[in-house]
Amino acid sequence: MSEPVGKRERSKSGPKALKPFDTKDIKILLLEGPSQLGVNLLKANGYQVEYHAKALPKDTLIDKIKDVHAIGIRSKTKLTEEVLSYAKNLLVIGCFCIGTNQVDLQFASSRGIAVFNSPFSNSRSVAELVLGLMIALARNVTDLNTGVHDGDYRKRSENAHEVRGKKLGIIGYGHIGSQLSVLADSFGIQVFFFDVSTINALGTAVQLPTLEAVLSTCDFISLHVPELPTTKNMIGEKEIKCMKKGSFLINASRGTVVDIPALADALKSGHLAGAAVDVFPSEPLANGPGFKTPLQGCPNVILTPHIGGSTEEAQSGIGVEVSTALVKYINTGCTLGSVNFPEVDVKAPTEGSKVVRLLNVHQNVPGVLKQINKAISEYNVEKQICDSKDTVGYLMADITVESDADLRKMSDAMNGIKEGVKTRILF
């Protein structure tokens, strides 16, 4: 279905300001306390913004999502098929974080809902945390700190090491893994990594051919992989046994990547000298007491509540990046940076023209483009671009339309295409 046509508005000069309709009619729901910079950016565009510092219970979320055009979340809100099926007006989802596994991307695509995230903004924060955890583990800082707090003052050098000259194995050499590589290199740490793709190493890092080769070689193992069926429990009992005795494991990626009971056993047996875990297979929806994990009480273990990207600097960057993507998609149809749509953008039409912008999400099946071209064939197409990603096709076209009657005719023709998913017309 197309969005309301509305009244055309033009300025006297400059690029044409495309609007879906009055911006004050756009409703945005923000959950889990995204940065105020991002909130201010959305409000500055005239949108109605409802802000919540925490995730909402499922029933409340379903009630709220029914009327909104955009929703912003972080990692705790789960936008499942059931929840999204109630989102009748939803155009776009903004994930104010790196991961998008909390969103049913396939169902969102089938409903013509674009999804954006922030894959770069918190990379430095996570990399810095991992490096700090490495140093803390090598010096047994956690247990010594607890001892002094309890009045047990024990100064010692045994089992305390510099990280200089040690070997770090990075599993997943993406944005975070590569930044960690550069930081570790500057500390004199030898870096080895494993990735499913062949990647140009930064600095003195060396790519090894197998996961087992990295595990058996390095003193520290740091995980930086996405949550996928192929990465679930990728570090289990077998892989942990492959690690060097006395080595350390750090997981600041996704909680399902490590078999937690197997890790606890390796720590209690002394096979591993320590571990740092920032993510867990199941994490609470809200802060507070009562969290349990088999790793509690294990020696030389640092447990943190998913804070890898939780710095003021990272959250400010994420807030601006994702909010900007939401504004561009709502106001112009730009999909650059989308994780489930093809990335499409064209320059704004000239101010003063009778050009409207047609945005169409459709099923990527044979024959649909023929129907779209037939629907717009009576009009002058100034610019047109169409691309597809998996099952989703996305068309952006600037078209000269002389009258509101012609506009309605074109809109009706587009809505008559059975393979169409969502059509918007911007002025």
Side-chain angles (χ1 to χ4, degrees):
M1 296 294 292
S2 65
E3 302 298 339
V5 172
K7 181 181 178 181
R8 307 189 197 196
E9 297 180 359
R10 296 184 176 87
S11 303
K12 292 183 179 180
S13 62
K16 192 171 186 178
L18 297 170
K19 299 294 180 183
F21 32 78
D22 287 343
T23 53
K24 67 178 183 295
D25 293 330
I26 296 288
K27 297 179 180 179
I28 298 183
L29 177 64
L30 297 179
L31 306 178
E32 303 180 67
S35 167
Q36 194 60 45
L37 289 176
V39 178
N40 293 342
L41 194 155
L42 295 171
K43 288 182 176 179
N45 276 270
Y47 306 145
Q48 297 181 47
V49 179
E50 182 178 342
Y51 177 93
H52 295 267
K54 299 180 179 179
L56 297 177
K58 180 180 175 181
D59 291 345
T60 305
L61 175 61
I62 288 175
D63 183 62
K64 293 281 188 183
I65 207 172
K66 290 178 180 178
D67 299 322
V68 299
H69 300 92
I71 184 170
I73 63 172
R74 294 181 68 189
S75 58
K76 292 181 179 178
T77 300
K78 308 301 180 184
L79 296 181
T80 62
E81 177 178 342
E82 178 187 1
V83 172
L84 291 175
S85 65
Y86 289 91
K88 304 303 181 184
N89 297 327
L90 194 63
L91 300 174
V92 59
I93 297 167
C95 297
F96 288 78
C97 51
I98 291 179
T100 56
N101 56 292
Q102 69 276 40
V103 179
D104 188 327
L105 294 178
Q106 185 174 357
F107 187 76
S109 298
S110 72
R111 289 298 184 95
I113 302 168
V115 181
F116 295 87
N117 68 336
S118 178
F120 312 115
S121 294
N122 68 358
S123 300
R124 175 74 182 202
S125 295
V126 179
E128 285 188 6
L129 176 66
V130 171
L131 189 59
L133 292 172
M134 287 176 59
I135 296 171
L137 289 171
R139 301 295 295 272
N140 201 21
V141 168
T142 299
D143 290 351
L144 293 173
N145 173 68
T146 299
V148 174
H149 275 284
D150 292 340
D152 186 11
Y153 189 92
R154 293 177 182 268
K155 180 180 178 180
R156 63 176 188 265
S157 60
E158 62 269 21
N159 296 322
H161 303 278
E162 295 181 353
V163 295
R164 181 182 56 175
K166 301 301 185 293
K167 296 177 181 178
L168 166 64
I170 298 173
I171 311 302
Y173 204 71
H175 304 303
I176 297 173
S178 57
Q179 282 220 30
L180 173 61
S181 174
V182 172
L183 292 176
D185 197 22
S186 69
F187 270 68
I189 299 169
Q190 301 178 60
V191 178
F192 300 86
F193 69 91
F194 170 74
D195 197 283
V196 293
S197 302
T198 300
I199 298 175
N200 288 329
L202 301 177
T204 61
V206 177
Q207 183 168 9
L208 297 183
T210 65
L211 172 64
E212 289 73 19
V214 176
L215 296 178
S216 61
T217 298
C218 297
D219 305 296
F220 296 86
I221 299 295
S222 187
L223 307 174
H224 301 284
V225 297
E227 182 175 307
L228 300 170
T230 53
T231 62
K232 184 175 182 180
N233 288 335
M234 71 177 297
I235 304 298
E237 182 179 1
K238 174 185 174 183
E239 290 74 22
I240 292 173
K241 286 182 178 178
C242 187
M243 293 174 62
K244 292 173 61 176
K245 180 175 175 58
S247 59
F248 302 89
L249 179 66
I250 301 171
N251 185 20
S253 59
R254 288 291 178 260
T256 57
V257 172
V258 176
D259 182 339
I260 296 296
L263 174 58
D265 290 343
L267 290 163
K268 292 173 182 176
S269 70
H271 177 67
L272 295 185
V277 176
D278 185 49
V279 288
F280 301 89
S282 179
E283 298 179 0
L285 289 178
N287 293 337
F291 178 70
K292 299 292 184 182
T293 173
L295 297 174
Q296 289 164 335
C298 290
N300 198 22
V301 171
I302 302 173
L303 304 177
T304 49
H306 203 151
I307 60 167
S310 295
T311 62
E312 292 185 8
E313 293 85 356
Q315 292 308 309
S316 295
I318 290 171
V320 172
E321 182 179 359
V322 177
S323 293
T324 299
L326 296 182
V327 170
K328 286 183 176 180
Y329 182 73
I330 293 170
N331 287 6
T332 73
C334 171
T335 58
L336 297 182
S338 174
V339 298
N340 66 327
F341 276 24
E343 298 189 67
V344 172
D345 191 24
V346 297
K347 293 176 65 175
T350 304
E351 183 56 51
S353 67
K354 294 182 179 180
V355 170
V356 300
R357 176 162 291 179
L358 173 68
L359 305 171
N360 174 259
V361 185
H362 53 268
Q363 300 172 31
N364 182 24
V365 295
V368 66
L369 290 181
K370 181 179 179 180
Q371 298 179 69
I372 292 174
N373 287 328
K374 182 179 179 180
I376 63 177
S377 62
E378 298 181 25
Y379 314 98
N380 183 45
V381 179
E382 302 285 344
K383 287 175 287 190
Q384 177 179 339
I385 185 170
C386 184
D387 200 356
S388 60
K389 183 175 184 178
D390 300 325
T391 60
V392 179
Y394 186 66
L395 170 83
M396 179 183 289
D398 286 350
I399 303 172
T400 299
V401 180
E402 296 294 335
S403 67
D404 286 344
D406 284 341
L407 191 61
R408 178 57 67 185
K409 181 180 178 181
M410 183 177 68
S411 177
D412 290 343
M414 292 297 300
N415 287 329
I417 300 173
K418 67 177 183 178
E419 294 87 359
V421 177
K422 190 186 293 289
T423 298
R424 290 197 293 149
I425 298 177
L426 311 182
F427 303 103

